[in-house]
Amino acid sequence: MKFGHEYEQALASEGFPEQWLGSAIDYKYLKKCIKKVHRELEGLGLDKETIHRLSEPLSQPENARRPSIGQHDFYSAEKPHLDSIPEEFTPQLRVLVDSATGVPLDAMLAPATRARLQKLAQSELIAARRQAHLGHHATHEIHEPATMELTKERTNSLTPDAQDAKWITIPLASAKAFFDLLGPKLEELERLREAETGKLELEIADLGAAVENVVEPVKDGFEAKRQVSYRDLYYWREMFRLYLENPIFYSNLEQNAGALTFSEAKSRLEAYDQQLRSTGLLAKMKTPAAKQAAKQFLDLNVDILKIIRFQEMNARAMSKILKKFDKRTHLEGHQFLMDLRTKYPALLPSQPVPGQKPTGGTVGFANSIARDLHAEITSKVLGIVPQIDDWTCPVCYSMAWRPVSLGCCRSLYCIRCIIKLQDDGHARCPTCNADTVTKADGRNIDFEAMDFLEKYFPLETKRRQKENEKADLARSYGEEFVKPGCEVM
Amino acid sequence: MTAPLPKRIIKETERLQSEPVPGISAQPHDDNARYFDVMVEGPGGSCYEDGEFKLELFLPDDYPMCPPRIRFLTRIYHPNIDRLGRICLDVLKNNWSPALQIRTILLSIQALLGAPNPEDPLNEAVAKQWKENQPEAIRTAREWTRLYAKKG
Ligand SMILES: [Zn+2]
Ligand SMILES: [Zn+2]
């Protein structure tokens, strides 16, 4: 009751679009369905104890040799057909009986159930009537070969008069109604995931263009006209650095990579928003376009959280209702879930590998939404503003200036660091160990990278240029000629 | 007047504190930011398991053009570590690269504890024992770990 109530309330009060609500799992109604299944089973004389007994081992020594097939394996398809799981899915009980007498070969059945099963086996009529009542869904000729195989396997290992055993199946109409309701809902949720992810991807691309526009490197004499400030570039860089440091809904950290739960993500977004306010970053943005784009960035994150929340709740509803189904009917509804996982890879992360820490907190379609959109934001929005950490020299850890590329690997070094390496007799590239340092000279300066750094890191460039000038002076005239106290930053 | 600390050393130190390596710590001295107190835990499954080994690490003026200077302070029975705690490790000598860091060097040292190499000995006596009677050598290494490198 508690979860059902919470679920209904969240759906009603959290401002989800009307269209989404139509796709939400109808928890209350499914609960009613479970009651019906329960009643139907009782009507068949299959109460809790009986179903348990059906799945209990015949006797201990024989149990050891017993093939690991559930005796009340009510799921009709041996191998799920990926395109047709919800259509072909027909819940049923299967019981092994003596073909002549109809007596169940399983031990420990209540006499009433024995009688019932006997009737079922002897009278083709009953089965036929049931099937007519259920329509074509309840027929399962297609699975006959599998059934025969099962029969052989079991009887060979269990009973001496093997040839006389056969399986009878008891279709369960009410259980079918339950899964017929749940199946299409999942299809709808998957469609919703696809549609919303698509929409958000467009929003992300749009935002990417907006950010590109406000941080575009300032060209000479252009600034006033375009109403662009290079300061905005730095504010955006800081804003994105903070975001990368603590991503909202997906974590890249080695220790616990994966999607975060809605409540974790929500508190992260709140903290991020707070950070942007307390550092005054939002207020400092110079141009209206930059302010607008910043708002767009935050709104996008809110939108993503909303669909994550919706899908996460539905996943929880599904998991709870299947648990309830198992508990009330003692039929293994989770088989259904496992098959769905095959059909909708986006639905659930793969089962955690034993011995490995489970990753990701959120469940259902929410998980892949978080992962996909995080990747999208990282490449299409955050990637627009380069971070200094990606442009530092592996020797001095400052911005590589003037950037030198040795041609052996992708590392960029400061020209001064390369000269120092040469002076110290280091012949090999510090990063990849190729023999490239000795013959490096002015031709190795990477002018393209230099251009890029000048544009995107104007302040760092100025600082490094000053340092170099000072060092050149010191080199030519000695340390004492460098005026002390004029250190830049 | 002492030269200001290079940006590289500042950044490395920061990262050692903010993202520490499991089983390894390096703490700079308050009065000398180039001198570090280091602690390395013996790797699990090795004969140094459960040991806590103290080392000292110093970054010379030329760092990172030359490697850090580092030695064991805790006594250790190991074919590649001598009685003064000096370490025979290629990346501390010819194979040093300025792109290596304090953190990578300490990881190499921890790995060396997990894989002693008596073919390239620094401590001849230990290496000899290691080659001639390995079970006995390992027993001694365990004993020394228990005696000198006890945790706490
Ligand atoms: Zn290289
Ligand atoms: Zn450099």
Side-chain angles (χ1 to χ4, degrees):
Chain A
M1 194 60 231
K2 213 175 136 219
F3 173 76
H5 189 65
E6 185 194 320
Y7 179 69
E8 303 281 327
Q9 263 206 332
L11 285 183
S13 66
E14 293 188 17
F16 296 116
E18 202 60 44
Q19 193 197 343
W20 294 13
L21 292 176
S23 304
I25 284 175
D26 198 339
Y27 189 79
K28 261 192 194 157
Y29 194 72
L30 287 167
K31 244 175 80 177
K32 280 188 193 142
C33 280
I34 292 177
K35 273 192 193 137
K36 276 191 200 154
V37 179
H38 187 66
R39 273 199 299 265
E40 191 186 11
L41 286 171
E42 279 187 337
L44 286 166
L46 296 167
D47 57 12
K48 182 180 165 184
E49 284 71 32
T50 312
I51 293 176
H52 272 318
R53 269 189 221 123
L54 275 172
S55 55
E56 266 165 21
L58 294 176
S59 62
Q60 280 318 95
E62 270 166 338
N63 181 36
R65 286 181 284 123
R66 180 179 158 164
S68 58
I69 299 161
Q71 291 190 27
H72 60 280
D73 187 7
F74 69 96
Y75 178 56
S76 66
E78 282 303 308
K79 283 181 190 119
H81 301 278
L82 288 189
D83 323 316
S84 56
I85 286 174
E87 287 77 26
E88 272 188 27
F89 184 78
T90 305
Q92 55 183 240
L93 276 172
R94 283 203 296 207
V95 182
L96 192 66
V97 296
D98 185 297
S99 62
T101 63
V103 173
L105 294 174
D106 297 300
M108 296 187 290
L109 281 179
T113 311
R114 273 175 196 270
R116 190 96 204 178
L117 292 171
Q118 219 161 324
K119 254 197 214 157
L120 274 170
Q122 282 166 344
S123 162
E124 294 296 329
L125 215 74
I126 292 176
R129 208 181 292 148
R130 270 207 164 274
Q131 287 180 0
H133 171 66
L134 285 170
H136 76 282
H137 282 317
T139 55
H140 18 261
E141 292 87 355
I142 17 166
H143 307 300
E144 212 57 62
T147 310
M148 294 306 288
E149 246 177 54
L150 268 180
T151 307
K152 259 192 182 159
E153 200 180 330
R154 264 186 55 84
T155 45
N156 283 348
S157 63
L158 290 179
T159 44
D161 49 342
Q163 276 67 23
D164 294 335
K166 79 165 190 182
W167 287 95
I168 62 156
T169 53
I170 310 164
L172 297 168
S174 54
K176 181 171 155 40
F178 174 84
F179 288 109
D180 277 356
L181 266 172
L182 197 53
K185 278 292 172 206
L186 284 163
E187 212 143 289
E188 279 181 53
L189 285 170
E190 159 69 352
R191 272 201 297 275
L192 181 68
R193 177 194 74 85
E194 241 176 55
E196 290 301 315
T197 309
K199 260 194 244 169
L200 288 165
E201 276 170 4
L202 287 180
E203 263 184 55
I204 291 170
D206 200 46
L207 175 61
V211 172
E212 196 151 13
N213 197 41
V214 291
V215 304
E216 197 184 330
V218 178
K219 291 160 194 116
D220 281 334
F222 225 58
E223 183 166 346
K225 217 159 82 191
R226 274 188 65 246
Q227 297 247 303
V228 165
S229 162
Y230 79 88
R231 302 216 168 264
D232 280 349
L233 168 64
Y234 279 83
Y235 298 145
W236 278 91
R237 173 144 45 235
E238 180 60 7
M239 195 166 124
F240 285 171
R241 195 186 63 76
L242 293 171
Y243 189 91
L244 283 164
E245 217 172 64
N246 246 332
I248 307 295
F249 44 85
Y250 197 85
S251 163
N252 280 328
L253 292 178
E254 292 155 41
Q255 301 98 302
N256 59 358
L260 299 160
T261 62
F262 167 76
S263 61
E264 285 169 328
K266 184 164 171 263
S267 65
R268 278 187 179 213
L269 183 57
E270 280 163 2
Y272 183 62
D273 189 68
Q274 182 55 40
Q275 219 173 5
L276 293 188
R277 283 168 210 287
S278 65
T279 51
L281 272 172
L282 282 182
K284 279 189 213 156
M285 299 265 174
K286 289 280 176 209
T287 64
K291 279 192 171 44
Q292 174 61 32
K295 187 177 174 311
Q296 212 179 325
F297 181 61
L298 285 171
D299 286 349
L300 172 74
N301 279 284
V302 172
D303 285 351
I304 294 172
L305 277 195
K306 192 172 254 180
I307 183 75
I308 286 177
R309 166 71 167 158
F310 184 76
Q311 293 278 8
E312 188 182 273
M313 273 197 326
N314 273 279
R316 275 181 64 205
M318 182 179 68
S319 151
K320 291 250 178 199
I321 204 78
L322 283 170
K323 249 184 220 150
K324 222 175 249 299
F325 180 87
D326 282 5
K327 201 175 146 203
R328 293 297 302 271
T329 68
H330 314 286
L331 304 173
E332 282 150 8
H334 269 78
Q335 177 65 37
F336 180 73
L337 185 67
M338 272 153 68
D339 294 329
L340 281 164
R341 201 174 287 160
T342 323
K343 188 175 180 192
Y344 306 110
L347 179 62
L348 290 168
S350 52
Q351 293 292 74
V353 183
Q356 212 174 298
K357 249 188 163 180
T359 56
T362 192
V363 287
F365 291 124
N367 190 67
S368 58
I369 293 174
R371 185 198 56 214
D372 294 352
L373 293 180
H374 177 74
E376 201 73 5
I377 289 182
T378 307
S379 74
K380 303 228 168 102
V381 179
L382 306 182
I384 288 170
V385 185
Q387 295 287 339
I388 192 77
D389 281 355
D390 298 326
W391 296 92
T392 53
C393 160
V395 173
C396 67
Y397 289 19
S398 294
M399 184 181 82
W401 189 259
R402 297 162 175 233
V404 163
S405 170
L406 295 174
C408 45
C409 56
R410 293 170 57 111
S411 302
L412 284 178
Y413 298 95
C414 316
I415 190 163
R416 295 188 54 80
C417 286
I418 290 296
I419 293 173
K420 199 140 196 278
L421 284 168
Q422 289 175 336
D423 287 353
D424 284 21
H426 284 271
R428 297 183 171 277
C429 167
T431 311
C432 76
N433 209 30
D435 193 4
T436 47
V437 170
T438 320
K439 57 178 190 290
D441 58 25
R443 284 170 299 182
N444 287 88
I445 291 178
D446 188 334
F447 286 103
E448 213 178 300
M450 200 163 126
D451 209 34
F452 178 91
L453 294 176
E454 227 171 345
K455 277 181 185 169
Y456 280 101
F457 299 98
L459 297 177
E460 288 83 352
T461 302
K462 270 184 206 145
R463 194 181 311 153
R464 291 306 310 269
Q465 272 167 338
K466 281 261 163 63
E467 280 169 20
N468 280 4
E469 279 166 25
K470 212 168 91 180
D472 282 344
L473 275 179
R475 214 177 155 98
S476 327
Y477 305 109
E479 201 78 57
E480 64 273 24
F481 276 83
V482 184
K483 222 166 61 188
C486 61
E487 183 97 4
V488 186
M489 301 194 74
Chain B
M1 197 179 90
T2 51
L5 208 58
K7 185 164 188 171
R8 157 146 186 167
I9 296 179
I10 295 170
K11 283 203 171 182
E12 272 202 67
T13 310
E14 272 172 10
R15 196 164 160 238
L16 280 167
Q17 318 292 338
S18 66
E19 298 164 49
V21 193
I24 290 175
S25 74
Q27 193 69 38
H29 276 202
D30 286 342
D31 56 351
N32 186 353
R34 287 172 175 272
Y35 188 90
F36 291 76
D37 290 324
V38 175
M39 193 281 300
V40 173
E41 280 176 23
S46 75
C47 44
Y48 309 100
E49 189 171 3
D50 294 331
E52 254 182 19
F53 298 89
K54 286 195 178 67
L55 299 91
E56 59 175 4
L57 182 148
F58 180 70
L59 302 173
D61 282 348
D62 271 355
Y63 181 80
M65 289 300 151
C66 63
R69 287 209 292 269
I70 182 158
R71 80 180 180 99
F72 274 82
L73 297 175
T74 305
R75 284 188 71 182
I76 181 166
Y77 191 81
H78 191 292
N80 311 104
I81 299 165
D82 74 8
R83 288 171 48 179
L84 297 174
R86 292 178 300 195
I87 307 161
C88 175
L89 190 63
D90 58 350
V91 286
L92 286 176
K93 303 202 163 73
N94 298 334
N95 283 345
W96 167 252
S97 148
L100 294 171
Q101 312 167 20
I102 297 172
R103 117 186 347 249
T104 44
I105 287 300
L106 294 181
L107 278 168
S108 300
I109 289 172
Q110 200 179 36
L112 184 70
L113 296 187
N117 178 12
E119 301 305 325
D120 183 21
L122 189 63
N123 192 326
E124 293 289 353
V126 176
K128 190 162 173 280
Q129 174 77 320
W130 216 278
K131 279 192 276 196
E132 286 168 2
N133 188 352
Q134 195 176 338
E136 181 60 23
I138 287 174
R139 206 193 56 74
T140 312
R142 271 191 221 287
E143 179 72 7
W144 282 36
T145 302
R146 201 177 55 74
L147 282 174
Y148 306 116
K150 211 168 176 182
K151 268 186 191 165

